[in-house]
């Protein structure tokens, strides 16, 4: 009855030997320099109280959705939340998903056909790569943030091209030259799709809105598990794309809708964000304090993600452990997750970090380097 699982065990053993085995650990106590809770909304008591009040007034928010959106799960809460989101972003339409992973799967597995080409930045999130595997389109990569390479690739294509970028990259913490990419996209009659997972909330409603690119971007993905402190995602686009996804996107069609409490917490999160703009100002002040410590890194000036390259898995591990022993929670990204020689400590800054914490963290890193 039992099959031979040797090859699974061998792969796990190899990771263990290399020190890269992934294991699920209970949440650690410590000073948070590793979570995506950039504005502290995931732990904000005032926001939690607002949600509790809504639940007490409308306990049905906790009910199961009972089915997919196309059968019994299309509640008035999800419809209202989508309309609200579309209006907030000044986009004709929004389509909600239970997570950003699902939203990217839906978009890239559905829109490009077998005759099309998906051109992705080489550092695009894994969800886009997984979606490309589900799609029949051809996938090509362009060098990270490299406009010339993108243009060279576009020049050689005959078919319909989709370009996939993040506005703020999660591993290097650097911005895409989004305005220039939008121009190139237009020049070659291609379609631009922007993932704003890490920019949404940190920079208002994201960089597509900041630079007024709504008309130049086919679809924008905003996610709610990071700066909004909730969970879920929306695809912002036009009515045709929304309707097409509702009709043809398997990750949207063949799954039970989330409970209303998820959609309600997204809407309440938007309202809270609008009423508490000082949180992103505080975050920028903390980023500035970090940058003043002059640690050499590839990240952008005002990015909440700051990567410190420690090009050796063993040394990186020691640094991470040293920081942990002093109470600092950071995230180490080892090769092969990133290219060998570019292993890094990924530091996320938050509105709630104190100056003392930031200086304490950077002092240990400086001493180690
Ligand atoms: C750039 C990017 N896109 C998409 C996702 C997936 O979003 P979610 O965590 O909501 O599934 C993430 C985060 O994990 C991300 O960093």
């Amino acid at each position: 009855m039992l099959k031979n699982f040797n090859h699974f065990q061998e792969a796990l053993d190899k990771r263990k030997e290399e020190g890269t085995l992934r294991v699920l650990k209970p949440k650690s106590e410590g000073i948070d320099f590793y979570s995506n809770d950039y504005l502290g909304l995931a732990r904000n008591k005032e926001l939690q109280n607002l949600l509790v009040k809504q639940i007490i007034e409308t306990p049905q928010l906790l009910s199961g959705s009972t089915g997919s959106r196309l059968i019994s799960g299309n509640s008035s809460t999800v419809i209202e939340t989508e309309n609200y989101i579309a209006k907030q972003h000044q986009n004709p339409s929004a389509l909600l998903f239970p997570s950003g992973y699902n939203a990217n799967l839906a978009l890239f597995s559905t829109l490009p056909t077998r005759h099309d080409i998906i051109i992705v930045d080489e550092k695009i999130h894994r969800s886009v790569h997984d979606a490309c595997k589900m799609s029949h389109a051809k996938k090509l990569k362009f060098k990270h943030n490299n406009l010339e390479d993108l243009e060279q690739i576009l020049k050689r294509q005959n078919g319909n091209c989709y370009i996939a970028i993040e506005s703020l990259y999660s591993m290097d913490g650097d911005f895409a030259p989004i305005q220039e990419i939008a121009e190139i996209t237009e020049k070659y009659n291609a379609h631009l799709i922007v993932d704003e997972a890490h920019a949404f909330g940190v920079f208002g409603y994201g960089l597509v809105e900041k630079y007024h690119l709504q008309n130049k971007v086919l679809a924008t993905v905003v996610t709610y598990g990071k700066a909004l402190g909730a969970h879920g995602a929306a695809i912002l686009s036009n009515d045709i794309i929304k309707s097409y996804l509702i009709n043809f996107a398997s990750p949207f069609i063949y799954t039970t809708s989330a409970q209303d409490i998820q959609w309600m917490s997204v809407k309440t999160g938007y309202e809270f964000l609008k009423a508490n703009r000082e949180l992103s100002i505080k975050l920028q002040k903390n980023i500035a304090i970090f940058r003043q410590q002059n640690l050499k890194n590839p990240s952008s000036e005002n990015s909440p993600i700051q990567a410190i390259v420690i090009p050796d898995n063993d040394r990186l591990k020691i640094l991470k452990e040293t920081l942990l022993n002093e109470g600092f929670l950071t995230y180490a990204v080892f090769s092969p997750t990133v290219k060998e020689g570019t292993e890094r400590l990924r530091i996320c800054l938050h509105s709630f970090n104190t100056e003392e914490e930031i200086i304490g963290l950077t002092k240990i890193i400086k001493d180690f380097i």
Side-chain angles (χ1 to χ4, degrees):
M1 186 189 68
L2 270 179
K3 296 254 180 342
N4 187 343
F5 288 122
N6 281 352
H7 61 295
F8 296 141
Q9 191 58 55
E10 280 164 17
L12 290 168
D13 290 345
K14 186 164 176 277
R15 282 214 158 163
K16 207 168 183 178
E17 262 167 43
E18 292 166 352
T20 56
L21 185 70
R22 291 173 164 136
V23 282
L24 290 170
K25 295 185 196 137
K27 258 188 173 179
S28 310
E29 290 293 322
I31 302 163
D32 182 357
F33 281 108
Y34 73 162
S35 83
N36 298 316
D37 187 19
Y38 301 118
L39 303 177
L41 295 199
R43 65 195 72 193
N44 188 295
K45 292 278 177 290
E46 202 186 321
L47 177 56
Q48 284 167 4
N49 287 339
L50 285 173
L51 290 169
V52 168
K53 188 164 169 272
Q54 281 167 355
I55 291 168
I56 290 168
E57 282 167 7
T58 320
Q60 304 90 286
L61 285 172
L62 296 173
S63 303
S65 76
T66 79
S68 75
R69 296 273 307 271
L70 284 161
I71 302 178
S72 58
N74 199 34
S75 67
S76 55
T77 306
V78 69
I79 296 169
E80 275 165 28
T81 306
E82 280 178 346
N83 291 339
Y84 174 85
I85 292 169
K87 225 177 187 171
Q88 291 302 307
H89 288 268
Q90 295 164 44
N91 258 95
S93 78
L95 185 63
L96 278 164
F97 286 82
S99 75
Y101 186 90
N102 277 267
N104 276 339
L105 268 198
L107 256 183
F108 291 95
S109 69
T110 310
L111 298 189
T113 69
R114 63 177 68 250
H115 310 292
D116 299 337
I117 303 109
I118 308 172
I119 307 173
V120 306
D121 185 289
E122 63 183 344
K123 298 216 170 155
I124 199 81
H125 191 256
R126 180 57 171 261
S127 50
V128 175
H129 289 292
D130 289 357
C132 290
K133 282 188 200 156
M134 284 169 71
S135 158
H136 296 290
K138 181 166 87 174
K139 181 182 86 175
L140 299 171
K141 286 187 205 171
F142 70 98
K143 287 190 195 128
H144 181 51
N145 277 348
N146 188 318
L147 300 173
E148 267 170 44
D149 196 39
L150 172 61
E151 197 157 359
Q152 286 308 317
I153 292 173
L154 277 163
K155 266 186 197 159
R156 294 196 292 266
Q157 310 310 316
N158 300 317
N160 200 16
C161 293
Y162 291 82
I163 299 167
I165 60 166
E166 291 175 36
S167 52
L168 172 60
Y169 284 88
S170 62
M171 285 296 152
D172 289 12
D174 57 343
F175 296 105
I178 184 171
Q179 290 161 295
E180 290 86 345
I181 292 180
E183 265 172 40
I184 293 176
T185 305
E186 214 166 29
K187 182 171 164 192
Y188 289 90
N189 226 350
H191 306 293
L192 180 58
I193 298 181
V194 184
D195 181 333
E196 297 243 54
H198 293 274
F200 173 72
V202 173
F203 303 97
Y205 286 160
L207 299 177
V208 170
E209 187 191 271
K210 184 173 173 200
Y211 298 123
H212 310 292
L213 294 173
Q214 288 96 331
N215 291 333
K216 301 196 172 195
V217 171
L218 177 71
T220 304
V221 176
V222 286
T223 73
Y224 304 127
K226 303 183 197 299
L228 206 71
H231 192 215
I235 294 176
L236 311 166
S237 190
N238 57 46
D239 292 334
I240 296 174
I241 298 294
K242 177 170 175 172
S243 179
Y244 190 80
L245 291 171
I246 292 170
N247 277 277
F248 297 105
S250 292
F252 178 84
I253 300 167
Y254 300 104
T255 190
T256 302
S257 177
Q259 289 166 288
D260 277 348
I261 186 61
Q262 179 171 350
W263 312 131
M264 187 49 86
S265 55
V266 166
K267 184 161 182 275
T268 309
Y270 268 86
E271 288 161 354
F272 196 84
L273 204 58
K274 271 208 292 189
N276 293 275
R277 293 189 203 272
E278 74 284 356
L279 290 173
S280 55
I281 296 169
K282 181 77 204 323
L283 171 59
Q284 284 303 324
K285 281 190 182 147
N286 283 343
I287 296 168
I289 294 170
F290 180 90
R291 298 283 301 192
Q292 281 154 16
Q293 308 314 308
N294 288 325
L295 279 165
K296 199 169 152 262
N297 77 2
S299 311
S300 298
E301 188 72 30
N302 50 356
S303 161
I305 303 163
Q306 297 285 327
I308 309 289
V309 177
I310 310 283
D312 176 57
N313 275 349
D314 293 333
R315 283 196 77 225
L316 177 58
K317 210 169 170 188
I318 295 170
L319 175 57
K320 190 193 158 218
E321 293 297 323
T322 308
L323 286 165
L324 188 61
N325 290 338
E326 295 299 322
F328 295 106
L329 303 169
T330 56
Y331 182 64
V333 195
F334 299 106
S335 54
T337 301
V338 287
K339 260 189 216 146
E340 215 179 309
T342 72
E343 295 84 356
R344 80 261 328 259
L345 192 71
R346 185 174 178 271
I347 293 161
C348 291
L349 292 148
H350 309 96
S351 56
F352 54 81
N353 291 134
T354 65
E355 182 167 358
E356 197 188 355
E357 288 168 356
I358 298 167
I359 290 173
L361 172 91
T362 49
K363 184 173 180 317
I364 297 172
I365 300 173
K366 274 188 200 164
D367 290 349
F368 183 85
I369 292 173

